[in-house]
Amino acid sequence: ANAATVKRWKEIGEGIGLLFQMVDDLHDKNSLYQVWGENELNRRIDEDTKKLLAFSEVQKSKSLKELIDFNQKRLT
C-alpha cells in the first residue's frame, strides 16, 4: 500500500480504538470522563463516531460499521 493509504487506515484504526476507550471511560466514570466531564465526553463520542462513519473505507465495510454500531449500543 502507498503511504497515503497506510496513513488513512492508521487514522481509522486509531479512531476506532479511541472511540472504544472513550465509551469505556464513560462507563467507568474515570480518565477522560474525569477530565472532560460527561457532556463533553458524550459530545466527542458522537463527533468521532460521525467522523469514522464518513470514511469511504468504513462505509464499504460491513464489519467496521458493525463494530462502530456495537460501540454505540454500549452507550445505552
Side-chain angles (χ1 to χ4, degrees):
N2 64 40
T5 300
V6 171
K7 182 179 182 234
R8 192 149 167 101
W9 279 106
K10 182 179 181 208
E11 189 175 352
I12 291 169
E14 289 174 348
I16 289 172
L18 179 58
L19 191 59
F20 269 76
Q21 187 59 54
M22 287 192 292
V23 173
D24 282 342
D25 290 354
L26 183 63
H27 282 228
D28 297 340
K29 295 189 177 5
N30 65 15
S31 297
L32 294 173
Y33 179 92
Q34 293 171 338
V35 173
W36 293 332
E38 185 172 352
N39 291 336
E40 179 64 11
L41 188 53
N42 275 315
R43 186 191 70 74
R44 289 184 184 216
I45 289 168
D46 185 54
E47 181 180 290
D48 287 0
T49 298
K50 288 175 184 173
K51 276 190 217 175
L52 282 170
L53 291 172
F55 279 100
S56 61
E57 294 87 350
V58 172
Q59 291 174 11
K60 294 176 188 173
S61 172
K62 181 180 176 186
S63 297
L64 288 176
K65 285 192 284 190
E66 287 175 348
L67 185 61
I68 293 168
D69 184 52
F70 168 78
N71 195 55
Q72 286 301 103
K73 288 178 181 173
R74 295 171 57 220
L75 291 172
T76 58

